[in-house]
Amino acid sequence: MGSLGGCRPWYEKALAGTDRSRDTVLWLDSCLGLVSALRSLGECAKARRLLSQGMSLAKKQGLASHAERCRLEGILLDRAEGRYPRSIRELSGFLALFRRRKDLPAMAYILWALGGARRFSGDLSGSLKDYEDSLALAGKAKDPMGRGYAMLGLGGIERIKGNLSAALAWYLRSRKAFAKTQDLFAQAYAECGTGNCLRQLGRLKEARGCYAASHRLYTLIKDPVDLAYVDWGLGKIAMAEGRLDDAGRRLMTALSGFGRFEEHRGVVLSLMALAAVRHAQGRTTEGEKLFDQGLALARKTGLHTHLEIYT
């Protein structure tokens, strides 16, 4: 269902109630589930500490498949923490491995992950190709969920490239693909992406409706990081309508949400938007300071978020 906050306490309970020496597989499955949830919630340091325990146990017990899953999760943590060159290199290795195994769903998933890493590192053409290949492989594998996530990726990269009509079409297709599923995260993601496109196309009322739907879903699944992206989007709408006080409040809420979980891309987006708001309010010195903070963070983390005028 994508309920990251909802699954977390159950995995924690399973770990606490399982003797790792007597039921190693159950403990490792619970460990990997919790690591994945923590990673997606932005708690990467905690996820990495737990994953280290899982990797040591899997190796000690000779459980090759679990050790492989631990290694892949470690690469996804690198990606989440902004280590894009390393994650691209390691994910490419997994892609070659799954290609040798002719595991189409796994290949589609790795290509989806690669698409995100390349997008955030600035390789827009490479990202687009990864998502297109992911979509094609998921189709061959008859994996509708994989196709839906590839569509979300295509919507994102086309938006960053400024192809707003194409981006909107992909988001609408993904929204339709997930509408009859129980994946609430994907539904929220599709609504937020659709809202971003509509906002940039000037269809602010429609965008606000999409953000409201996304806000409800992200709240339901207890996903504070992605909820902050919705607050940011609503702040951008307020900016477009000239409601600077409202924009400032909403952007500060988003900044707080991103900052708690070290979501660097969101922090940069919020700082840049807030800098513009403060300048428009006549608080130029404060605006310059916020702008400098955002640019410094983007440089430090290897992001190009400050250049994304179509986000």
Side-chain angles (χ1 to χ4, degrees):
M1 292 174 64
S3 182
L4 303 170
C7 73
R8 177 179 180 171
W10 292 107
Y11 282 131
E12 291 173 336
K13 189 173 182 179
L15 279 174
T18 303
D19 184 338
R20 69 176 74 184
S21 63
R22 296 181 62 184
D23 199 339
T24 304
V25 169
L26 176 59
W27 193 93
L28 283 170
D29 286 341
S30 303
C31 170
L32 284 162
L34 182 55
V35 166
S36 179
L38 291 171
R39 168 175 55 80
S40 299
L41 288 167
E43 297 187 41
C44 293
K46 187 178 292 186
R48 200 172 285 283
R49 288 193 296 271
L50 181 60
L51 182 62
S52 178
Q53 297 178 45
M55 177 64 86
S56 296
L57 182 61
K59 288 181 176 178
K60 180 180 178 181
Q61 297 295 329
L63 297 171
S65 63
H66 282 82
E68 181 179 284
R69 288 169 60 191
C70 287
R71 189 162 70 87
L72 178 55
E73 192 59 50
I75 296 167
L76 294 175
L77 274 167
D78 285 335
R79 176 179 175 269
E81 292 177 322
R83 298 183 180 91
Y84 300 121
R86 175 183 172 127
S87 64
I88 289 170
R89 183 173 63 253
E90 297 296 329
L91 284 168
S92 297
F94 262 98
L95 180 61
L97 173 65
F98 291 141
R99 184 175 286 120
R100 289 195 297 272
R101 293 177 183 171
K102 299 181 180 180
D103 188 336
L104 298 185
M107 289 169 62
Y109 175 76
I110 295 296
L111 282 162
W112 172 83
L114 274 167
R118 291 196 211 278
R119 171 187 160 185
F120 294 136
S121 67
D123 181 4
L124 304 188
S125 59
S127 174
L128 180 63
K129 185 177 187 308
D130 284 336
Y131 284 132
E132 289 174 339
D133 290 347
S134 178
L135 180 68
L137 282 169
K140 287 182 181 178
K142 295 182 171 29
D143 178 7
M145 301 295 279
R147 280 180 54 81
Y149 275 95
M151 290 174 193
L152 287 172
L154 285 164
I157 190 61
E158 291 287 18
R159 192 183 78 241
I160 296 301
K161 288 166 63 69
N163 301 325
L164 296 177
S165 295
L168 179 59
W170 281 118
Y171 279 126
L172 290 174
R173 284 184 66 182
S174 68
R175 188 164 68 166
K176 183 177 180 181
F178 289 114
K180 294 182 180 180
T181 73
Q182 294 182 321
D183 192 337
L184 302 183
F185 171 81
Q187 291 174 22
Y189 193 152
E191 291 290 349
C192 186
T194 302
N196 286 335
C197 288
L198 292 170
R199 168 176 53 79
Q200 292 183 85
L201 289 167
R203 296 159 62 177
L204 301 185
K205 183 177 180 180
E206 294 172 79
R208 193 179 288 109
C210 289
Y211 284 139
S214 184
H215 199 284
R216 178 182 61 80
L217 288 167
Y218 279 137
T219 300
L220 182 63
I221 64 176
K222 302 175 184 177
D223 183 351
V225 178
D226 289 305
L227 187 62
Y229 277 106
V230 180
D231 286 320
W232 173 82
L234 289 168
K236 293 286 284 186
I237 285 181
M239 286 177 66
E241 294 176 337
R243 295 183 289 108
L244 297 181
D245 289 342
D246 289 344
R249 283 191 290 271
R250 185 66 78 166
L251 290 169
M252 285 297 294
T253 298
L255 182 60
S256 176
F258 291 131
R260 288 201 315 274
F261 298 97
E262 297 186 356
E263 173 65 15
H264 300 311
R265 179 170 179 268
V267 170
V268 174
L269 286 172
S270 300
L271 287 171
M272 292 297 182
L274 195 56
V277 168
R278 294 297 181 243
H279 176 57
Q281 290 174 321
R283 298 158 62 178
T284 302
T285 300
E286 182 183 351
E288 289 284 4
K289 183 178 179 181
L290 292 166
F291 182 90
D292 289 344
Q293 289 175 4
L295 182 59
L297 180 60
R299 296 278 195 239
K300 179 181 177 181
T301 55
L303 290 167
H304 305 281
T305 308
H306 55 296
L307 300 178
E308 293 181 14
I309 61 172
Y310 293 109
T311 293

